[in-house]
Amino acid sequence: MKTYFFLFLALFSLFSCKKESPKISNDWQKISENVQFKEDGNVLKLKSGKFDYEIPNSKIPFKKVMLLNASLVGYFTELGLEGKIIGISSPEYVFSDEVHQLIDDGKILNIGNEQKYDVEKIIALKPDAIFTNYIATFENTYDLLKKNGIELIFLDEYLEQNPLEKSKYLLVFGKLLGAEKNAFSRFNEIEKSYDSLKTLAKKSQSKPTVLTNEIYGNQWFLPGGKTNFAQLVSDANAKYINAENRESKAVPMSFEEVFTKAKDAQFWVNAGNHQTKKELLQINPNYAKMNVFNKGKIYTVTGREKGKSNDYFESGVVRADLILKDYIKIFHPEFLPDYILTYMKELK
């Protein structure tokens, strides 16, 4: 089950100038091309992907909510809103100590997993809203919950390919949960930190070449050049081996294709959840033929991992600045001599 997260890391991309500080107004607050919201009389209008919502202001802020995706927990912990959660699916994949304490105290209940949600428990708990990624195969479950008066809000943050737009979802949660001022403050701090780090990285005269992910079966899913990962590498002033690709999703390639593209790679990042280079070879002995395996440096995203949970997929969804900081530390360590990696870990 642990490798589920890292397979997701490789596959999610398949779906997958100066900035002005956002201001509160009655105009549309644009989060990304996928998400925006605005006040309109007595309702809050929210557009998220193909879904449109009109939520009466009388129902906001939500006081009791449920999460069907662990990746959304990071927004709540960033805003200190863990106490609003009354139910969560697959809690074993949650990293937050605060959330686990609330689970231990019986204040947050386990409402099932991605195979089967406990619909009866969900209905009995009467949440004000449920936040989840949209999964078409659960349409019948969604319909049943809606018929019982439960507001389902689909937020597919994993589709965003701009790192700061993922972070900006904080504004949506702030608006819906009565933490608007804090949400703007936290996003502005993350954005300022990100931009400052990006400027720092540009000072480097070197631009190392970077490989990512690993092979699954006979396919190596390399993020396209328009993906979130490609943007992060570019902002860290490094050269991604698939940067010239114009896709905003992952591109399946053979080992031979990646071997050729990665011939000059000095760094290999996001290389699964392996503990040693020897273990990596057990997955695919062909890695030993790669220059980056023999002469470069390899990093996994296991810096903050415990049990089945990994904070890279939780707070890392929100803290684009810390992900960028890790990459800069890896690619240009001279700029951050005292910084200790947050999410990444070197593989020996």
Side-chain angles (χ1 to χ4, degrees), residues 297-334:
K297 290 192 173 184
I298 305 174
Y299 292 83
T300 64
V301 290
T302 58
R304 288 175 62 80
E305 184 181 57
K306 55 186 179 184
K308 295 181 179 180
S309 69
N310 187 313
D311 202 28
Y312 177 86
F313 299 101
E314 193 166 305
S315 73
V317 174
V318 185
R319 295 301 303 271
D321 59 326
L322 291 181
I323 299 290
L324 179 61
K325 196 170 187 178
D326 272 11
Y327 285 141
I328 294 173
K329 173 67 175 183
I330 291 169
F331 307 146
H332 310 289
E334 68 277 10

Side-chain angles (χ1 to χ4, degrees), residues 14-283:
L14 281 166
F15 302 103
S16 358
C17 58
K18 182 177 180 181
K19 302 179 180 65
E20 294 182 359
S21 298
K23 297 177 180 179
I24 301 173
S25 74
N26 290 329
D27 296 327
W28 285 101
Q29 172 62 66
K30 185 176 179 180
I31 305 303
S32 69
E33 291 299 326
N34 299 317
V35 177
Q36 54 186 313
F37 63 84
K38 68 175 288 187
E39 294 276 2
D40 189 359
N42 295 320
V43 301
L44 176 71
K45 290 187 175 180
L46 170 65
K47 296 180 180 180
S48 180
K50 65 180 182 180
F51 299 98
D52 293 319
Y53 303 89
E54 291 193 1
I55 305 169
N57 288 338
S58 59
K59 292 186 176 182
I60 301 172
F62 297 138
K63 296 179 175 64
K64 303 187 302 178
V65 301
M66 292 182 177
L67 306 179
L68 300 187
N69 301 89
S71 63
L72 299 177
V73 172
Y75 295 101
F76 285 76
T77 58
E78 188 66 32
L79 297 175
L81 296 174
E82 299 95 332
K84 296 248 185 182
I85 306 171
I86 63 168
I88 196 164
S89 69
S90 302
E92 66 272 20
Y93 290 111
V94 174
F95 185 86
S96 167
D97 290 333
E98 291 78 6
V99 169
H100 279 289
Q101 186 60 57
L102 289 169
I103 292 172
D104 291 342
D105 293 342
K107 296 179 180 179
I108 296 178
L109 301 183
N110 183 347
I111 52 173
N113 55 50
E114 64 276 4
Q115 276 76 48
K116 185 177 182 180
Y117 298 121
D118 191 332
V119 176
E120 290 184 1
K121 183 184 287 188
I122 292 172
I123 294 172
L125 288 169
K126 298 179 180 179
D128 296 331
I130 293 176
F131 294 103
T132 181
N133 300 153
Y134 176 75
I135 302 174
T137 53
F138 287 123
E139 190 63 53
N140 290 337
T141 300
Y142 299 150
D143 287 342
L144 180 57
L145 293 172
K146 289 175 185 177
K147 287 177 182 177
N148 280 273
I150 297 174
E151 185 81 66
L152 269 97
I153 299 178
F154 300 108
L155 293 170
D156 295 331
E157 86 297 332
Y158 68 93
L159 291 175
E160 305 297 348
Q161 301 305 336
N162 181 308
L164 283 173
E165 286 180 353
K166 284 179 180 281
S167 303
K168 202 173 182 180
Y169 274 58
L170 284 168
L171 306 190
V172 179
F173 289 103
K175 187 68 176 179
L176 294 173
L177 299 169
E180 194 170 9
K181 184 176 180 180
N182 188 28
F184 273 103
S185 175
R186 291 303 304 129
F187 174 70
N188 284 338
E189 288 179 19
I190 292 169
E191 182 182 45
K192 182 179 179 180
S193 172
Y194 190 99
D195 288 344
S196 176
L197 288 162
K198 181 179 175 180
T199 299
L200 177 66
K202 285 182 178 178
K203 295 179 181 179
S204 176
Q205 297 300 309
S206 66
K207 198 167 185 177
T209 303
V210 181
L211 166 68
T212 190
N213 291 357
E214 62 174 316
I215 199 164
Y216 289 93
N218 61 355
Q219 291 187 312
W220 195 314
F221 288 91
L222 276 188
K226 293 294 184 180
T227 58
N228 177 73
F229 174 80
Q231 185 64 57
L232 282 160
V233 172
S234 176
D235 290 345
N237 197 18
K239 180 183 178 182
Y240 172 43
I241 66 167
N242 206 29
E244 77 287 349
N245 180 276
R246 310 314 292 169
E247 294 284 352
S248 58
K249 60 183 180 181
V251 182
M253 295 185 181
S254 66
F255 175 83
E256 290 73 20
E257 289 174 304
V258 176
F259 179 82
T260 300
K261 276 182 168 287
K263 65 181 186 302
D264 297 323
Q266 297 147 274
F267 295 97
W268 180 358
V269 299
N270 297 24
N273 64 330
H274 309 291
Q275 300 303 311
T276 65
K277 291 177 70 174
K278 182 178 180 181
E279 183 180 323
L280 190 61
L281 278 183
Q282 291 173 348
I283 301 299

